Amino acid sequence: MGEEKGELAKVSALRDIKRSLPDIPIDYPIIIPHGMSIDNDGVAIGDMSDDAEPDYFSSEPFVISKKILDLEEATEKWEVTYRHEGKWRKLVQPRLTFADPRKLLTLADYSFPVDGINLRNVLGALRIMAISSHAPLSYCFSSCGWKFCEGKTYFVWGKKVIGAVNGEVQFLTQDPGTEQVIRSYRMAGTLENWMSVVEKIFNEAPKAMMAIYHSLAPPLMKICGASNFCVDLAGSSSVGKTTFSRIAASVWGAVYGDNELLKSWNSTRVFGERLPAISNDMPIFLEETQLAKEEDQSKYLYMIVNGVGKGRGNLAGIREVKTWNTCLFSTGEIPLSQSTALEGVRARTVPYWGSPFGESPVPDLVKAIESGLRENHGIVGQQVASHLLSGAGGWSDLKSRYEAKLSTLTKQLRGNIESRVASYMALTWLAADIFHEHYAGFFPSDFKPDEIIFPAFEEIMGNFKDVSLSDRALHATKQWVIANKPSFAWEGSESEFLDNKHTKEYYGMWRNDGNQVYIYTHKLKAFLRAEGMAYESVIREWKRCGVTETSPDRSTMVIRVNKSVMRVVALNWSDLLEK
């Protein structure tokens, strides 16, 4: 038996691909199957006796160099190593791609040596290699975040699998879009330099420290059984919204360039679903809500905070639905809670209005922060994840601490919305504690995160006055109409008012009995937008509440003004006076 094993080892050594291709970038034995030749002349199958001339169907060598099992999707991928124009390449694709002739032919786009003429031979060679080349089996994950496998726990941060020993498992994707997102999770600079930026924030704009605390909340969600939420940054341009997001993003990765973590709201639904699934247990960042339709904002926000993707089917059955834990950082001119009439959206957001750097942001401070983050990022997130992975303090203890903080924040709260927001802030509070415990040497010894968390919580609760979008808009519109009374004509006297030199522009018209005011839609739309409210949502709510008179199947009506047809919003003045 021992002699047979020894003989087999000799044969294997003789047929090791390194003997015929010494420069192939593979550092472990790959056996060339019997009846096959793989060398500098290419690949051939057939009679390999000494007096036979190999019939090469491929002019470039290739081999299955690795088989990879995706531990999340329970699917197999193959890595092929091949040469093209003197350079070695590696390509990873699902096993089905190498088994289906039509899919295999598409690999010609990657310069893999397959075409319509040698397709059948390449398929046959791959089949033989899969059985006889003894390509090693490795394991991979295809998304980030916490992973639990065979009694072991890992945290995937970009391409780094924290907790993996000697490359026992790796991150792997063959999708270019996913690869682009993953490249955002990279490290630059040093912890000390990043902390010097944080020191400026801590001393000069402590409220902006909330960006770091919120950013570290997602990896705690699974541990504490907490829910996803959205940090909503709203306000006019140049108040520091994007800088706040960049502070948060710098915890995990790049904040500038083509592969930065900050993405746009102007994206497809599929991208919006793939992003949190890939970035599981870490925050995601979307800029400028005004680039997306209001309906899309509501649907996407619900999907994000519910942590479940869209169900889909295929010919074989139902695909597995993607799930995730995350915190969405969103910026825009209008708060998400006011860009939709859906109260459920308000219950899933932590709103910040205006500048996180004070009423008058200091340009030099913002510039210094941006400059420092450009060069130093992607350090703290992975370190905190490693700290949590080590079990420091125990996960059960972390959950108890979260529940205690939640109890503290909810003692004086009554409404369901406020209680939900308190749960998000309790998790953020725990993240702040962990951050300062782990990096205590960078902060004053007597500092407690409560000093920042409590004022932020009070401000956020102040933004959650339990007033409906309809009432808020009616109250604001009443004040606007009163302040601009000369700009509203009386019904039937349009010509007289239009000739009034003291009024440059009219906003609408009063009905003769004074019970209704007609407001030109374009004027009302501009006013509501300036007030941070979405016109379409407001009009829809007013119609539902019965405070407007409308044309059939419309939320507005048409009147004649000086022989011209104008579309207006008709409001009952008595309803306005009550607001």
Side-chain angles (χ1 to χ4, degrees), residues 191-192 195-196 198-199 202-203 383 432-447:
L191 174 64
E192 289 72 22
M195 278 296 184
S196 69
V198 174
E199 184 180 7
F202 181 80
N203 291 326
Q383 289 184 355
D433 279 358
I434 292 171
F435 174 73
H436 285 283
E437 289 165 4
H438 196 60
Y439 300 104
F442 291 93
F443 299 92
S445 58
D446 59 345
F447 170 75

Side-chain angles (χ1 to χ4, degrees), residues 342-490:
L342 299 173
E343 289 298 298
V345 170
R346 296 179 64 212
R348 290 162 168 80
T349 59
V350 175
Y352 290 93
W353 297 353
S355 173
F357 301 97
E359 294 182 3
S360 302
V362 180
D364 290 344
L365 171 62
V366 174
K367 185 178 179 180
I369 292 171
E370 298 257 359
S371 176
L373 298 182
R374 184 188 297 270
E375 303 298 330
N376 303 275
H377 49 256
I379 301 167
V380 166
Q382 56 168 318
Q383 289 184 355
V384 170
S386 181
H387 173 70
L388 295 174
L389 182 63
S390 70
W395 284 19
S396 59
D397 177 61
L398 290 175
K399 185 172 183 179
S400 296
R401 290 171 64 183
Y402 162 70
E403 292 171 347
K405 293 179 183 300
L406 178 58
S407 177
T408 299
L409 294 179
T410 55
K411 282 181 180 177
Q412 305 299 323
L413 301 178
R414 296 180 181 178
N416 179 55
I417 291 179
E418 289 88 345
S419 296
R420 282 196 180 191
V421 175
S423 70
Y424 311 146
M425 290 299 291
L427 192 71
T428 301
W429 185 3
L430 176 60
D433 279 358
I434 292 171
F435 174 73
H436 285 283
E437 289 165 4
H438 196 60
Y439 300 104
F442 291 93
F443 299 92
S445 58
D446 59 345
F447 170 75
K448 295 182 179 179
D450 314 18
E451 299 172 27
I452 294 175
I453 294 289
F454 286 175
F457 184 59
E458 290 178 6
E459 177 185 334
I460 290 164
M461 287 298 102
N463 294 334
F464 271 101
K465 293 178 181 178
D466 215 1
V467 179
S468 69
L469 176 65
S470 173
D471 287 349
R472 293 197 304 272
L474 281 172
H475 177 77
T477 302
K478 178 188 73 172
Q479 300 299 329
W480 176 67
V481 170
I482 292 173
N484 294 279
K485 198 169 184 179
S487 295
F488 288 84
W490 283 95

Side-chain angles (χ1 to χ4, degrees), residues 523-534:
K523 287 296 179 183
L524 182 60
K525 184 179 294 186
F527 165 70
L528 291 173
R529 185 167 190 82
E531 290 293 305
M533 288 179 268

